[in-house]
Amino acid sequence: MVNEKSNFRGLSEDEALKRQKRFGLNVLEEKKRISPFAILIQQYNDFIIWVLIGATIISFIMGEKADAITILIIVIMNSVLGFIQEYKTERSLEALKEMAAPTAKVMRKDSVVVIKAECLVPGDVVIIESGDRVPADCIIEESAGILMDESLLTGESENVEKNADKNNNSLFMGTIVLNGKAIAKVVAIGMATEMGKIAKMLNSIKREKSPLKEKLDSLGKILVLICLIICFVVTIMGVLRGNDKYEMFLLGVSLAVAAIPEGLSAIVTVALALGVSRMLKRNALVRKLPAVETLGCTSIICSDKTGTLTQNKMKVLKIYLNGRVIDVNKEKVNSELLRKTFVLCNDCIISSKSKNFEESIKGDATDKALLSVFFNNERDYKEYIKDKIKIYEIPFDSNRKRVSVVIKEKLGNTAYIKGAPEIIIKRCNYIYENGECRLLTTEDKKRILKVVEGMTREALRCIGAAYKRNIKNNDKTIEDNLVFIGIAAMKDPPREEVKEAVFKCRRAGIKPVMITGDHKNTAFAIAREIGIADEKSGVLTGTEIDDLSDNELLEKCKKTTVYSRVTPNHKLRIVRCYKKLNNVVAMTGDGVNDAPAVKEADIGIAMGISGTDVTKEASSMILLDDNFATIVAAVEEGRIIYNNIRKFIRYLLSCNLGEVLTMFLASLINIQTPLLPIQILFINLATDGLPAIALGLDSGDKAIMEQKPLSRNESIFARGLKEKIFIRGSLIGICTVLAFLAGKYYGMDLETCRTLTLGTLILSQLIHVFECRSEKCSIFEMKFYTNLYLVGAVCISITMLILIIYLPYLGRVFHTVPLDLGQWLIIIFFSSIISFVNSLVLLFRK
Ligand code: ADP
Ligand code: MG
């Protein structure tokens, strides 16, 4: 048979390597990386930082040399911290981009391998299928029904047919294969391609702005304004009270630097990026950062059946032939017609590498199963297909649900067709039974459909077979007026982990929905087995959907969990309905026709193994293992990330509020400034950096998949976060001022009082950071070992505090004094009292 195997030999690996050296990589212009230097510069892209630097320079000139240098060091350390965060984020996002890079199916020697598209060289033989983006400029050697979308290159929206004819055989890099398949030879790569000439960047992962980040950015602006006003007031009141003008100015600026949560939106990016790499470990490759946020809110997951909910390891169990059902395990299938249909009308390729024959069959699972019914070794198979010549083919697509080939035979060309049984039967007028071909009666049809009913009820996937003789050249009706042969029924068991994943969804308030091209009964049987459907929830078929108006479908959608015999167009309607019902919809897809539905969904999910380029490009996430359970894992990660963002927003804002209020209250009640500029900057360094990042690394608690999904529009401050921040911020401010006053009360000098204030403010934040890990648990119930980063970060901060208090040199720089035990007790009392009381309240409530 003419197929990829027998006719074409690809380049050898050596030759390919040689050519790669000569022609280079198949890429369009170098991707511009953001340089580390640019990231470093960005850290200083902030007005208030420059005001601080300016103020420091003035203080240097005026002789406060130690102060000025320290301030500069702190500023630099802060920016280094920011730099490391951003640099790592940038790199991990780039690594993701790399992973999502396009691939190509290429013949190397005589096996088909999948390589990165950038490794293609001129002369390579590539296999191109519907849904692919053409990886380089090629010439078609052999093709079946190729339909191209070349709009990207030509700007024309009309689709073009291509074939192996001399003047119509060019495929251009970057254009999309809408239908059909082809074997083609690469003639130009990289910048030498037509696309390269236009030098348009293609297919890059978009760095879309996260909506949450945008919201935080605008919130940040408001906070900046408020901070600036307060700092201004503090400065003015200080001056009015007769303090040094310049000193007060520096204080105001330092306070502004410390209080403005400039890191907020940067940490959101870091948290999202960290989450993305955690998702990758669980086999979900996120293509668009904002998808991570949306994932957590998912309320409906629409999933394909075959391969996603099931194992995609199919095995034919029964065959209906000559009026009776054969058990394939017990009886040999004796029908040359059936063999021809299932073996010749088949897309599989044998890759000789594997010893085991079944493992060496590569291709669609359905086709694999059908092939293995008739052959169990490579030699027999090759012998069989040797002299069969395929002259025409209409490939499978999920709208048609059937495949046809025309084979050259002595008696005249014959078409063999296989596909969904109902669709095959509809096109048959004859039946071949027990050695004779006769008219297919209505009774026959009923009888056959009844057999299909029975098989599908046992969760078996059914494929019908038919043929038609005497096909003339250019015959457009090869799929009409067929002769029915038989039906194969195969099992495709559910994936083991899916049942638990479905259960997890349910508990998490997420509705799992199955959308499949398969038969109603098969779909329902499997859906029931894995818990997606029960007796009450009906199945909606594609034909039924066609008869429903949009509003009627909307009503039906509320209850239905299984959709069968659907086409990609139905998928689109279903997504729209669920969205209208105010759901956040995740939707899977693999074929090129699924791309619109995948794009329309809130979270479009493409299959990593079986998915096509076009669907992957339309998606926001790719499942590397095609597994439903991975979607649920990704949703869980999404929720964890969202929660972590809430955690550090709570931490950062309440602590910064505490810092500002300390200074503000002090100036209200007319006492000396409780903290010096340099001390404020130190507090900022010790508390805002590492602990906040570590909070973003927090693992989620189990309860996270036991809550209802968030609504799409819920503010990040919802569910009491605003109040928590406000109350805690105020209390931290009050307690810190009280610590200062306590020092005064016991008659300590100003420097000691300030050291007390410094200690209290830092320690209360470092205690609070643990509280921020949970919105429900008290600090007594917290398992500290579950976030060792945080423990580490807090230890570093405490060490820093101890160093500046006890190292004489640092003490001079930061104007601190060594404390005795009694003074430490004051600090500990005022910094832990709020957390202690709060935790008691939480405990008692339980
Ligand atoms: P799903 O992926 O949801 O199971 P498909 O679109 O792959 O749905 O298949 C729909 C129907 O098309 C199947 O039930 C089967 O009858 C038929 N079909 C699937 N794959 C093939 C194939 N390779 N050849 C012929 N018919 C097929
Ligand atoms: Mg499929």
Side-chain angles (χ1 to χ4, degrees):
M1 184 162 68
V2 177
N3 70 5
E4 297 98 13
K5 276 286 304 140
S6 48
N7 244 14
F8 297 100
R9 292 201 128 227
L11 303 173
S12 68
E13 291 292 342
D14 289 345
E15 179 60 28
L17 261 179
K18 231 184 265 166
R19 289 192 188 194
Q20 193 170 84
K21 277 205 187 105
R22 197 168 125 213
F23 294 100
L25 283 180
N26 176 32
V27 284
L28 297 179
E29 73 185 41
E30 278 293 300
K31 280 183 208 134
K32 280 196 201 82
R33 284 176 143 203
I34 301 180
S35 73
F37 185 68
I39 298 176
L40 188 64
I41 290 297
Q42 269 170 28
Q43 307 303 318
Y44 294 95
N45 188 7
D46 188 353
F47 173 71
I48 200 77
I49 291 280
W50 284 107
V51 175
L52 181 65
I53 292 175
T56 320
I57 292 172
I58 297 175
S59 97
F60 188 84
I61 295 168
M62 294 187 21
E64 304 274 347
K65 294 218 162 64
D67 267 20
I69 291 171
T70 320
I71 290 179
L72 277 183
I73 290 176
I74 292 181
V75 168
I76 289 171
M77 277 172 79
N78 250 330
S79 66
V80 166
L81 242 131
F83 167 76
I84 294 173
Q85 275 175 44
E86 259 188 58
Y87 183 78
K88 279 188 70 175
T89 308
E90 202 59 45
R91 286 296 166 265
S92 66
L93 289 179
E94 249 175 43
L96 280 186
K97 231 189 246 178
E98 185 90 341
M99 289 201 59
T103 57
K105 245 196 238 164
V106 57
M107 304 256 340
R108 285 284 159 91
K109 267 289 179 42
D110 48 19
S111 39
V112 180
V113 288
V114 178
I115 61 170
K116 269 194 195 156
E118 62 176 31
C119 296
L120 282 179
V121 294
D124 261 334
V125 176
V126 286
I127 295 163
I128 288 167
E129 283 169 315
S130 106
D132 286 353
R133 236 184 227 289
V134 178
D137 282 4
C138 312
I139 300 281
I140 300 179
E141 303 272 354
E142 189 188 293
S143 73
I146 284 279
L147 188 67
M148 300 294 303
D149 171 358
E150 297 191 333
S151 54
L152 190 68
L153 193 67
T154 60
E156 277 170 42
S157 58
E158 202 135 304
N159 303 330
V160 265
E161 283 183 31
K162 299 265 170 154
N163 47 44
D165 293 348
K166 262 237 160 67
N167 43 21
N168 191 29
N169 61 357
S170 309
L171 296 179
F172 300 107
M173 180 188 210
T175 57
I176 297 171
V177 187
L178 294 174
N179 214 337
K181 49 180 223 168
I183 296 168
K185 191 167 244 161
V186 174
V187 289
I189 61 164
M191 295 306 281
T193 59
E194 290 304 308
M195 192 59 82
K197 283 175 197 157
I198 306 178
K200 243 190 202 157
M201 271 297 278
L202 275 177
N203 157 28
S204 55
I205 295 183
K206 286 196 194 76
R207 280 285 288 282
E208 274 162 56
K209 260 208 157 177
S210 132
L212 182 59
K213 201 169 141 95
E214 249 164 70
K215 265 187 247 164
L216 284 180
D217 278 342
S218 55
L219 171 83
K221 288 204 185 101
I222 301 172
L223 289 181
V224 168
L225 197 70
I226 296 174
C227 282
L228 288 180
I229 292 173
I230 295 181
C231 296
F232 186 73
V233 171
V234 171
T235 314
I236 294 296
M237 288 174 86
V239 174
L240 288 182
R241 219 173 303 118
N243 284 323
D244 175 38
K245 273 192 208 103
Y246 165 73
E247 186 71 34
M248 283 298 109
F249 171 66
L250 196 59
L251 183 80
V253 176
S254 307
L255 189 56
V257 169
I260 293 170
E262 69 282 345
L264 205 56
S265 90
I267 298 189
V268 170
T269 314
V270 174
L272 290 178
L274 283 172
V276 161
S277 56
R278 270 209 307 251
M279 286 187 186
L280 189 59
K281 282 198 195 113
R282 299 174 81 166
N283 282 325
L285 173 63
V286 174
R287 293 184 66 253
K288 294 172 186 162
L289 217 44
V292 179
E293 290 164 41
T294 326
L295 259 173
C297 308
T298 307
S299 57
I300 293 212
I301 303 177
C302 298
S303 170
D304 285 347
K305 171 179 75 72
T306 309
T308 314
L309 293 166
T310 65
Q311 298 179 1
N312 216 21
K313 283 185 199 132
M314 301 190 197
K315 187 155 175 45
V316 177
L317 295 186
K318 295 176 185 175
I319 281 189
Y320 176 74
L321 187 71
N322 294 328
R324 64 189 195 92
V325 177
I326 305 174
D327 183 338
V328 177
N329 286 324
K330 295 194 182 126
E331 209 174 315
K332 219 173 153 179
V333 187
N334 243 332
S335 162
E336 183 52 24
L337 276 174
L338 200 64
R339 171 150 84 163
K340 273 192 179 154
T341 314
F342 284 157
V343 174
L344 300 183
C345 185
N346 194 309
D347 254 353
C348 289
I349 301 167
I350 309 296
S351 100
S352 317
K353 277 184 187 147
S354 226
K355 282 220 173 64
N356 179 322
F357 179 66
E358 262 183 45
E359 274 171 26
S360 66
I361 312 176
K362 299 274 175 265
D364 180 66
T366 310
D367 285 353
K368 261 198 251 183
L370 291 172
L371 189 67
S372 340
V373 172
F374 297 94
F375 293 98
N376 55 20
N377 69 70
E378 192 177 343
R379 206 187 51 237
D380 289 356
Y381 170 70
K382 287 216 164 140
E383 186 62 31
Y384 181 73
I385 60 165
K386 198 173 64 189
D387 51 352
K388 310 281 194 297
I389 295 171
K390 178 156 78 185
I391 47 182
Y392 188 66
E393 177 181 352
I394 311 177
F396 179 81
D397 94 43
S398 41
N399 284 318
R400 295 169 7 95
K401 300 195 175 21
R402 59 184 187 272
V403 201
S404 312
V405 290
V406 178
I407 302 291
K408 193 170 180 174
E409 291 184 349
K410 279 194 203 100
L411 301 169
N413 299 340
T414 308
Y416 295 94
I417 296 109
K418 75 181 203 305
E422 313 96 274
I423 292 176
I424 297 288
I425 295 257
K426 236 188 257 161
R427 301 178 162 267
C428 290
N429 288 332
Y430 307 92
I431 178 169
Y432 186 92
E433 220 167 49
N434 300 315
E436 61 164 357
C437 181
R438 57 176 177 83
L439 273 177
L440 181 74
T441 62
T442 330
E443 259 68 65
D444 289 327
K445 283 195 185 183
K446 271 194 195 146
R447 172 174 53 113
I448 296 167
L449 287 178
K450 215 168 156 197
V451 172
V452 174
E453 271 288 314
M455 289 170 159
T456 49
R457 268 183 211 284
E458 296 171 41
L460 299 178
R461 180 177 171 91
C462 293
I463 308 283
Y467 72 96
K468 183 182 184 179
R469 295 228 187 267
N470 284 321
I471 304 289
K472 303 279 177 303
N473 278 352
N474 294 329
D475 194 338
K476 290 274 179 232
T477 60
I478 60 170
E479 291 182 331
D480 290 328
N481 218 5
L482 309 175
V483 186
F484 178 82
I485 312 170
I487 292 165
M490 50 191 88
K491 89 170 173 197
D492 179 17
R495 286 174 181 266
E496 273 158 21
E497 58 280 31
V498 157
K499 210 169 168 178
E500 201 194 314
V502 168
F503 180 67
K504 217 172 183 182
C505 277
R506 283 268 150 76
R507 249 195 342 195
I510 302 165
K511 176 167 150 183
V513 171
M514 174 195 281
I515 303 187
T516 175
D518 214 337
H519 191 280
K520 180 174 174 173
N521 293 346
T522 317
F524 183 71
I526 291 184
R528 198 175 50 181
E529 194 177 334
I530 57 183
I532 284 186
D534 57 26
E535 301 304 339
K536 276 173 283 168
S537 56
V539 180
L540 208 56
T541 66
T543 356
E544 286 164 357
I545 296 177
D546 283 333
D547 291 338
L548 295 175
S549 71
D550 282 345
N551 280 335
E552 286 165 335
L553 182 60
L554 207 68
E555 275 309 307
K556 287 270 184 191
C557 275
K558 288 181 187 161
K559 287 211 190 88
T560 313
T561 51
V562 180
Y563 299 84
S564 71
R565 284 285 188 250
V566 294
T567 61
N569 196 21
H570 295 132
K571 279 193 172 180
L572 191 60
R573 281 187 69 192
I574 296 168
V575 175
R576 290 203 172 128
C577 278
Y578 280 129
K579 277 177 86 172
K580 238 190 226 158
L581 291 170
N582 225 350
N583 287 297
V584 176
V585 188
M587 168 75 120
T588 66
D590 45 14
V592 57
N593 302 318
D594 288 340
V598 166
K599 205 167 212 162
E600 177 79 21
D602 296 296
I603 305 281
I605 303 171
M607 298 298 151
I609 303 170
S610 64
T612 53
D613 293 351
V614 177
T615 316
K616 284 181 188 164
E617 281 168 34
S619 71
S620 33
M621 184 171 96
I622 299 175
L623 300 182
L624 297 180
D625 56 0
D626 290 13
N627 189 344
F628 176 80
T630 304
I631 308 177
V632 183
V635 170
E636 185 175 354
E637 287 295 344
R639 288 190 176 189
I640 292 177
I641 292 166
Y642 189 83
N643 239 17
N644 282 356
I645 292 176
R646 267 175 73 98
K647 288 177 195 173
F648 64 64
I649 285 182
R650 174 178 170 196
Y651 170 69
L652 276 183
L653 292 189
S654 50
C655 291
N656 285 4
L657 184 63
E659 289 162 18
V660 176
L661 281 186
T662 302
M663 299 306 283
F664 187 60
L665 288 177
S667 70
L668 273 191
I669 58 175
N670 209 356
I671 48 178
Q672 286 145 309
T673 47
L675 289 168
L676 294 171
I678 218 170
Q679 293 169 337
I680 293 175
L681 290 172
F682 177 80
I683 294 173
N684 188 44
L685 180 70
T687 59
D688 270 16
L690 294 179
I693 300 173
L695 210 47
L697 286 167
D698 218 18
S699 58
D701 45 26
K702 292 211 180 63
I704 211 153
M705 287 302 267
E706 282 159 20
Q707 300 157 1
K708 289 239 147 4
L710 305 179
S711 88
R712 176 200 304 268
N713 301 322
E714 192 191 281
S715 144
I716 189 107
F717 294 103
R719 285 175 290 145
L721 197 63
K722 238 186 331 222
E723 293 77 5
K724 278 196 180 107
I725 291 171
F726 191 74
I727 294 173
R728 179 53 66 103
S730 314
L731 289 177
I732 289 181
I734 292 170
C735 283
T736 312
V737 172
L738 286 180
F740 183 85
L741 292 178
K744 283 267 150 209
Y745 176 81
Y746 287 115
M748 299 172 200
D749 62 18
L750 187 56
E751 288 217 325
T752 316
C753 289
R754 281 182 175 151
T755 313
L756 285 184
T757 316
L758 179 80
T760 310
L761 198 46
I762 291 184
L763 221 54
S764 53
Q765 299 187 23
L766 294 182
I767 295 172
H768 183 49
V769 74
F770 288 104
E771 283 179 285
C772 290
R773 290 185 65 201
S774 167
E775 290 177 32
K776 294 207 183 73
C777 288
S778 72
I779 213 158
F780 306 125
E781 301 159 85
M782 196 77 57
K783 295 189 185 75
F784 291 94
Y785 58 86
T786 47
N787 188 348
L788 292 179
Y789 295 109
L790 189 59
V791 176
V794 167
C795 286
I796 291 178
S797 297
I798 290 178
T799 314
M800 280 162 66
L801 174 64
I802 290 176
L803 286 181
I804 67 160
I805 290 182
Y806 287 103
L807 280 189
Y809 172 72
L810 288 179
R812 250 173 282 133
V813 171
F814 286 96
H815 308 279
T816 52
V817 288
L819 301 177
D820 61 28
L821 186 64
Q823 289 160 335
W824 273 111
L825 285 180
I826 295 179
I827 291 184
I828 290 170
F829 177 77
F830 281 109
S831 57
S832 61
I833 178 77
I834 321 164
S835 303
F836 189 74
V837 172
N838 183 45
S839 288
L840 280 186
V841 170
L842 278 176
L843 264 187
F844 274 113
R845 236 187 247 160
K846 278 185 183 164

